């Protein structure tokens, strides 16, 4: 600390705790002590109070003792002379601030004032938000409020595999709108989540971005929490929950949770504009997490390290930053902030005329904003990647065969085929689909380009803005060339891209591609657990869940859904000492349960002895552990003699008596719990899905989201299981959210599980 | 330079020296003068009086006799004298610790109604170290078991001291290898006394190693238990602002001064002076109230915990009397000059001894008994009030300094991150980065032969100027307090890196850790630093050093030995008591460093002492692979820039985006 900061932070803490107390008193008087308090879609109550104090706040009266916690952490402001030490005291006051701020937000929820509605003119452009059904949010007429558990888990995998290095909390208001946009773009280009809150003299960076027409929401990694400093509690609650979700830590373990954040969550705050008492106090709270603060104004610096791994507080007075204009200064400000947190970020330079970064992956291009589209309803588009003999291709060669889109009228369409040919000493035919799947992410990273689908159902849109900036077809080639070299340089040495818009050529290549797709499908179908000698481990999630290890076989993909056996094989080629290690199956101890000597010994060692035995195909007997980023949770429903499967997109109640979020607490954290298991969506379609427990026929309930989004796949599964109507016999949240509702449904449909051998 | 300024750097003392001269009373300095010339054999340590055939003296020039009657040579004689000094010092500390444990036991058994458990958290952690179960047990049961286990440490015959487990693993292993792992507290003292009897151990190496072991039994045993139990009974210190020096005496109130070492008494006196009845009584005697202050380590105890002012250290005790304002001086044990007896006859001060172990011929004695502690304390305070009317003229110097005290290792841990993030990480980081070059402890007494406090001040000022964080105990702390070095403002004397740390944490560059027994807090801090990571895995890896610049008591030898034995480079000032033996000097230096990583040296020149310590610190930094110390790299944090900018705001429009003029 510095005495100046300590003084202001401690003063701010005292003020906000007093404010919380007054608000609470009034709220209890107005609404009654039993009025429920809840953040949206979370099993973690008010997460900061839960994590650090172990308090489950569910109604207003629960806040009374919670506020006492905060009061106990307050200290007097240091005097002008002969002060006693203030660092520890400021840290505690910072924590008191967070507890109080969250209580205030909780009260606002109870009063229906949160998430903050936008009360000023205008709206912002929200991104496609796959959970909200709130019309205000959809219309961009309210702030985000706390992050849903679902989103937390969805981001989890990106955070662990490094696609998303961390988050930046931008608090206040940038020097100008131009600067605000630049700062945000810099962060987006590095795929850093941008969390917005606070204001200076009534003006917030959220206003600035609204005015600049920046798309905000989960998909663009820009989350507007609220225009006051209090809203900063949401990102900090997000950080606290990440420790509970992925780190296997329990509520009431403040030290461990904070240490977890210091070590594993790469986050920092940038204070934009003047810093007031409450911002200092909130910053002190953030420093408890090991998150440093960078200010663009003159404030005292705290350079010694310890509580944060790098400097605690840095002042970079904006006008004093060397640079030819504000844009360059903004860029340097962001760079410094990233250095201070020690975030290592690999930025691949992609030579195209629009910004590039995975934060742009979620951008949508609306029909009215669209310059041209390929695929979709009116045209055809495909992408095909194949391995070529080393000398047959030329590295970096990008050819467009046929016309560019300049002749197409605005909002028009045309056919296109993207053919990528790669060569490399370590390249294998098996890796073709792995690499081809990357095209989706690579192309989507360009701002103003939207990519959906794959293979011959690819659908690409180019926005008018991108076209105006000079985006041309050849730029697809530039993107792919740069990214394949950067990300897969270990297996590919040469990349050549050809883009076909010429009708005849396009048809010719489409036929070749389709042939290859069929060939791959057959090969993949033939690839079974029995046909390979080794499985792969995935320990990527150990950066978050230190004892968790996924065992990935051809017939069981990783629980996050992001890694299958082939992905792991390729990843192992790229990085032989990385998180994906081959596991020799060794002697098969039990073919039915899927117990292998090699797998057990690997898991023992990789889980640091936390897990001794693993069955690959059972939920009842030593099921595989889960970190926190599973796509689905399966849980046994004893009354139905079957299992239910809830997907993380489904916020509804389940027959297990718990929502996904609550269940996740049981399934996650790297622990083995018989009868509960996290898994990837596509594991449902595997022949080995719970095969020792009776297989897919055991599924008695499944989120409608799964049924709908994987219709085709399930149709095939039903055929395979010899019961073409099987899917209709499975209940979902629309017909049953309790066992009482489930059982009659199953009886009526004569679900096979009812007559299968008992699970227990 | 005046005679007064040659005797003391303390302005209050200088003034009072003049008063004493005028009053024609004799002080320590005068008696030292009268002792001149002191015996050369004794000064070199080559005089043996262990058996009745002596005194035997070895001629240091190699011309006269080289052996005593029994054949003991200079190495043996010196090693024995040295070992006995240490054993006596350790006995004093540990016996103090035993009394604390007995008080704790009396409390648990309901016989000491005036005491209570003030720090339950500490009780629990001590219970943990001593293997006392705590789950779901009534507090008093735990207290009793802790007291009994603590007492058992004194009489333990075999095995290892329980607290040795608090040292880094590697250190414990070194002690085992060297055969100096302490077995029981009393046993090690007896071992030295026996070993050094005539005709017993006559190899300086094994004698010195035994001395090490008995000192370790003090540092990691008796003293550490004393600190812990004192914290349990009276609370672990947290920072407080307090006053130092004679200016804290009152012209109008009854001045009660506590002096000695044991807080069992002084804490009760503190309660007594706040008793409304006694205050009323004081007022009835013409005083405006009762003012409590202290001297030496018992003062450090009440200073650290309740902020009771200290008026001085060892060499201040006689001068306090000469102010004519001390109505009552209550003493318990250790460092109480017999000279106080005759001196108080010359002034009005009422002197009362209280410990059954520390009488002074001709001085009023009230036997202190923890069973009736408060009654006795009140009875004694009343004597002071009754004495108020006997005051004649007073000469209270106005000198007074403020300080921040109260740095227990628990608080330091808290200070570096608060309830949730407290740890030694920031301290280790500061050393690793080079903001702090290292850390040093400066401890120990005053010595009449060196200018009062001067060497303490020189050493501390030089260290902080060189970005070395300093911790203090005992009379050293009081000496520095009297000169403003314990105030946060003193950061301006520190190097740029240390200043940054001070500003970050809000600490003075010099931390007061407590009384002489609280040197064990330093051991705990060092162990925690070693286990925090990044600075090796043993105390001897840390870039640090210890100093006792003006030491004189036997306790100081014990302290020096347990620090050296724990891996610290320890430099004691003044004349060397082992100068007569090259072998013993070498053994405590190079040989010890080789075997235990620490060394004990006696260096009369304070400048050389600091230089050697800095060199040692740099050597340790290099061994750890830390960046070379370079003051120029640091000093950019802090409030200065912001405050300067804010100053301008009155008439100009503030541009918060620029620090430029
Ligand atoms: S496969 Fe498993 S360990 Fe690997 S990233 Fe996915 S969930 Fe994490
Ligand atoms: S012990 Fe030996 S050296 Fe010492 S006094 Fe006796 S005879 Fe002399
Ligand atoms: S430091 Fe020395 S003189 Fe001072 S009280 Fe302690 S032992 Fe006595």
């Amino acid at each position: 600390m510095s005495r100046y900061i300590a003084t202001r932070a401690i003063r701010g803490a005292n003020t906000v705790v007093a404010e919380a107390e007054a608000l609470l008193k009034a709220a209890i008087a107005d609404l009654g002590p039993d009025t429920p308090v809840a953040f949206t879609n979370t099993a973690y109550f008010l997460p900061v109070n839960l994590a650090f104090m172990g308090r489950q706040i569910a109604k207003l009266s629960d806040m009374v003792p919670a506020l006492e916690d905060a009061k106990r952490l307050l200290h007097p402001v240091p005097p002008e002379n002969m002060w006693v030490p203030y660092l520890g005291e400021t840290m505690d006051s910072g924590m008191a601030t967070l507890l109080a701020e969250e209580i205030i937000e909780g009260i606002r929820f109870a009063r229906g004032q949160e998430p903050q509605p936008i009360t000023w003119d205008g709206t912002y452009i929200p991104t496609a938000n796959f959970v909200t059904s709130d019309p205000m949010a959809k219309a961009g007429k309210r702030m985000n409020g706390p992050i849903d558990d679902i989103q937390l888990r969805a981001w989890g995998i990106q955070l662990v595999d490094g696609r998303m290095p961390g988050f930046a909390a931008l608090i206040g208001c940038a020097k100008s709108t131009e600067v605000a946009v630049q700062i945000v773009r810099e962060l987006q280009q590095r795929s850093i989540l941008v969390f917005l809150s606070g204001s200076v003299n009534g003006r917030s960076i959220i206003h600035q971005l609204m005015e600049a027409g920046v798309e905000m929401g989960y998909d663009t990694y820009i989350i507007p929490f609220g225009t006051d400093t209090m809203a900063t509690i949401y990102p900090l609650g997000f950080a606290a929950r990440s420790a509970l979700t992925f780190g296997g830590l329990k509520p009431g373990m403040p030290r461990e949770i904070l240490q977890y954040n210091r070590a594993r969550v790469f986050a920092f705050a940038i204070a934009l504009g003047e810093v007031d008492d409450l911002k200092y106090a909130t910053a002190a709270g953030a420093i408890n997490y090991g998150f440093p603060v960078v200010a663009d104004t003159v404030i005292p610096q705290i350079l010694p390290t310890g509580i944060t791994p790098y400097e605690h507080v840095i002042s970079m007075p904006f006008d004093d930053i060397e640079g030819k204009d504000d844009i360059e200064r903004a860029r340097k400000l962001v760079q410094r902030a990233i250095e201070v947190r020690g975030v290592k970020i690999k930025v691949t330079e992609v030579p195209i005329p629009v910004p590039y970064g995975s934060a742009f992956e979620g951008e949508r291009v609306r029909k009215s904003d669209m310059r041209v589209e390929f695929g979709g309803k009116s045209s055809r588009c495909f992408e095909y990647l194949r391995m070529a003999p080393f000398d047959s291709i030329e590295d970096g060669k990008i050819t467009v065969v046929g016309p560019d889109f300049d002749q197409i009228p605005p909002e028009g369409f045309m056919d296109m085929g993207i053919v990528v040919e790669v060569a490399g000493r370590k390249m294998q035919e098996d890796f073709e689909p792995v690499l081809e799947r990357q095209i989706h992410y690579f192309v989507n990273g360009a701002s103003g380009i939207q990519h959906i689908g794959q293979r011959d159902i690819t659908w690409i849109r180019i926005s008018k803005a991108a076209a105006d900036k000079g985006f041309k077809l050849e730029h697809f080639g530039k993107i792919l060339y740069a990214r394949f070299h950067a990300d897969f340089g270990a297996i590919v040495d040469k990349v050549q891209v050809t883009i076909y818009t010429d009708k005849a050529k396009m048809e010719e290549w489409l036929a070749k591609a389709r042939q290859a797709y069929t060939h791959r499908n057959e090969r993949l179908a033939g690839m079974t657990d029995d046909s390979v000698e080794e499985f792969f481990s995935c320990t990527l999630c150990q950066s978050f869940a230190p004892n968790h290890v996924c065992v990935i076989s051809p017939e069981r993909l990783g629980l996050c859904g992001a890694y299958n056996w082939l992905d792991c094989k390729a990843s192992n080629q790229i990085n032989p000492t990385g998180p994906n290690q081959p596991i020799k199956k060794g002697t098969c101890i039990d073919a039915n349960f899927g117990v292998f000597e090699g797998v057990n010994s690997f898991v023992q060692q990789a889980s640091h002895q936390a897990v001794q035995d693993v069955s690959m195909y059972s939920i009842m007997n030593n099921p595989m552990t889960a970190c926190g980023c599973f796509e689905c949770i399966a849980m046994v429903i004893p009354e139905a003699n079957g299992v239910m499967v809830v997907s993380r997109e489904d916020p509804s109640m389940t027959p297990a008596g718990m929502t996904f979020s609550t269940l996740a607490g049981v399934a996650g954290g790297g622990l083995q719990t018989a009868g509960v298991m996290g898994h990837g969506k596509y594991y449902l379609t595997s022949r080995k899905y719970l095969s020792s427990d009776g297989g897919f026929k055991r599924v008695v309930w499944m989120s409608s989201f799964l049924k709908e989004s994987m219709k085709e796949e399930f149709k095939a599964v039903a055929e395979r299981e010899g019961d073409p109507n099987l899917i209709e016999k499975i209940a979902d949240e629309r017909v049953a959210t309790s066992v009482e509702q489930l059982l009659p449904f199953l009886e009526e449909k004569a679900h096979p599980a009812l007559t299968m051998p008992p699970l227990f | 330079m005046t005679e007064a300024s040659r005797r003391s750097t303390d302005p209050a003392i200088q003034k009072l020296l003049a008063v004493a001269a005028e009053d024609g009373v004799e002080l320590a300095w005068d008696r030292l003068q009268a002792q001149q010339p002191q015996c050369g054999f004794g000064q070199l340590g080559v005089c043996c009086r262990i058996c009745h055939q002596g005194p035997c003296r070895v001629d240091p020039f190699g011309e006269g006799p080289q052996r005593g009657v029994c054949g003991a040579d200079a190495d043996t004689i010196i090693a024995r004298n040295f070992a006995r000094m240490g054993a006596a010092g350790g006995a004093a500390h540990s016996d103090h610790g035993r009394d604390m444990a007995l008080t704790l036991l009396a409390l648990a058994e309901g016989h000491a109604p005036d005491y209570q458990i003030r720090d339950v958290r500490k009780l629990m952690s001590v219970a943990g170290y001593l293997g006392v179960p705590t789950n779901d047990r009534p507090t008093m049961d735990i207290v009793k078991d802790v007291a009994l286990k603590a007492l058992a440490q004194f009489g333990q015959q075999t095995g290892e001291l329980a607290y040795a487990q608090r040292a880094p693993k590697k250190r414990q292993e070194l002690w085992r290898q060297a055969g100096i792992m302490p077995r029981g507290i009393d046993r090690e003292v007896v071992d030295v006394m026996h070993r050094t009897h005539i005709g017993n151990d006559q190899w300086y190496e094994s004698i010195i190693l035994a001395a090490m072991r008995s000192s370790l039994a003090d540092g990691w045993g008796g003293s550490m238990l004393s600190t812990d139990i004192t914290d349990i009974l009276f609370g672990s210190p947290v920072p407080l602002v307090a006053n130092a020096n004679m200016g804290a005496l009152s012209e109008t109130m009854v001045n009660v001064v506590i002096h000695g070492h044991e807080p069992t008494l002084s804490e009760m006196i503190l309660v007594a002076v706040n008793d409304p009845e006694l205050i009323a009584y004081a007022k009835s005697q013409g005083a405006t109230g009762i003012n409590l202050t202290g001297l030496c380590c018992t003062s450090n105890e009440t200073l650290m915990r309740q902020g009771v002012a200290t008026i001085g250290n060892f060499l201040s005790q006689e001068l306090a009397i000469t102010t004519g304002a001390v109505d009552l001086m209550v003493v318990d044990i250790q460092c109480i000059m017999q000279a106080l007896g005759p001196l108080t006859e010359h002034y009005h001060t009422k002197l009362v001894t209280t410990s059954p172990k520390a009488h002074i011929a001709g001085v009023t004695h009230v036997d202190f008994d923890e069973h009736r502690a408060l009654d006795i304390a009140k009875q004694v305070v009343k004597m002071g009030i009754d004495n108020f009317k006997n005051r004649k003229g007073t000469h209270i110097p106005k000198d007074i300094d403020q300080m921040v005290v109260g740095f227990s290792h628990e608080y330091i841990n808290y200070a570096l991150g608060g309830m949730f993030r407290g740890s030694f990480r920031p301290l280790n980081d500061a050393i690793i980065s080079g903001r702090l070059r290292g850390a040093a402890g400066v401890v120990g007494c005053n010595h009449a032969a060196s200018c009062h406090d001067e060497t303490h001040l020189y050493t501390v000022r030089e260290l902080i100027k060189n970005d070395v964080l300093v911790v203090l105990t005992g009379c050293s702390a009081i000496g520095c307090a009297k000169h403003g070095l314990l105030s946060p403002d003193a950061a301006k004397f520190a190097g740029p890196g240390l200043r940054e740390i001070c500003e970050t944490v809000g600490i003075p560059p010099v931390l007061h850790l407590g009384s002489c027994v609280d040197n064990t807090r330093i051991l705990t801090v060092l162990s925690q630093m070693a286990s925090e990571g990044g600075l090796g895995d043993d105390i001897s890896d840390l870039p640090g050093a210890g100093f006792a610049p003006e030491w004189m008591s036997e306790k100081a030898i014990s302290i020096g030995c347990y620090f050296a034995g724990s891996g610290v480079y320890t430099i004691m000032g003044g004349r060397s008591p082992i100068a007569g033996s090259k072998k013993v000097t070498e053994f405590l230096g190079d040989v010890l460093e080789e075997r235990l990583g620490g060394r004990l040296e006696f260096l009369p020149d304070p400048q050389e002492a600091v230089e050697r310590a800095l060199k040692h610190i740099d050597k340790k930094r290099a061994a750890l692979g830390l960046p070379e110390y370079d003051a120029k790299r640091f000093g950019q944090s802090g409030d200065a820039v912001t405050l300067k900018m804010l100053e301008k705001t009155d008439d100009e429009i503030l541009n918060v985006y620029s620090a430029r003029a």
Side-chain angles (χ1 to χ4, degrees), chain B residues 370 396 551 638 646:
Chain B
E370 70 261 9
I396 305 176
W551 75 279
L646 291 174

Side-chain angles (χ1 to χ4, degrees), chain A residues 1-2 86 89 92 305 320, chain B residues 411 414 422 429 503-504 639 658:
Chain A
M1 281 305 117
S2 79
Y86 40 68
E89 289 75 2
D92 285 2
T305 64
D320 299 349
Chain B
Y411 180 77
Y414 172 87
D429 268 16
E503 240 192 289
T504 300
D639 293 343
S658 177

Side-chain angles (χ1 to χ4, degrees), chain B residues 16 19-20 23 246 249-251 253 255 318-328 343 346-350 387-397:
Chain B
L16 291 170
V19 173
D23 293 348
M246 297 291 176
L249 289 172
S250 168
E251 290 283 2
M253 291 198 262
N255 284 310
E318 292 180 283
L319 283 316
I321 309 285
T322 67
T323 60
V326 176
D327 304 298
L328 171 72
L343 189 65
H346 199 278
Y347 293 89
H348 91 295
T349 304
K350 176 81 187 166
N387 193 29
F388 181 70
K389 58 178 180 298
N390 300 327
R391 270 199 202 178
K392 293 168 212 120
T394 60
H395 309 274
I396 305 176

Side-chain angles (χ1 to χ4, degrees), chain A residues 292-355:
Chain A
V293 180
V294 178
D296 69 347
T297 56
V298 181
I299 66 167
Q301 305 206 88
I302 304 174
L303 302 178
T305 64
I307 298 173
T308 63
Y310 299 87
E311 293 88 338
H312 294 105
V313 178
I314 301 256
S315 165
M316 280 188 87
F318 196 78
D319 291 352
D320 299 349
I321 299 173
E322 299 290 332
K324 64 175 193 305
D325 54 19
D326 278 1
I327 298 293
E328 197 179 325
R329 281 189 269 273
R331 194 172 295 146
K332 287 197 172 162
L333 179 74
V334 172
Q335 267 164 16
R336 180 80 176 110
I338 290 169
E339 275 165 35
V340 169
R341 184 58 183 103
V343 190
K344 289 202 183 40
I345 297 169
K346 197 180 70 188
V347 188
T348 310
E349 283 299 331
V350 179
I352 53 172
V354 294

Side-chain angles (χ1 to χ4, degrees), chain B residues 64-124:
Chain B
Q66 293 301 299
R67 289 180 187 275
V69 176
C70 64
D73 60 10
D75 302 327
T76 299
I77 292 174
I78 283 186
R80 285 197 305 215
N81 288 342
F82 181 81
R84 285 195 161 201
M85 269 183 107
H93 274 154
S94 299
D95 204 33
H96 165 178
R98 180 199 331 270
D99 283 340
M100 298 307 302
L102 286 170
T103 305
L104 191 69
L105 182 62
L107 164 65
E109 291 178 336
H111 306 315
D114 302 327
Y115 298 94
Q116 62 201 61
I117 301 300
R118 292 253 182 83
D119 190 341
V120 175
R121 248 210 299 194
K122 183 104 186 196
L123 172 71
M124 296 305 165

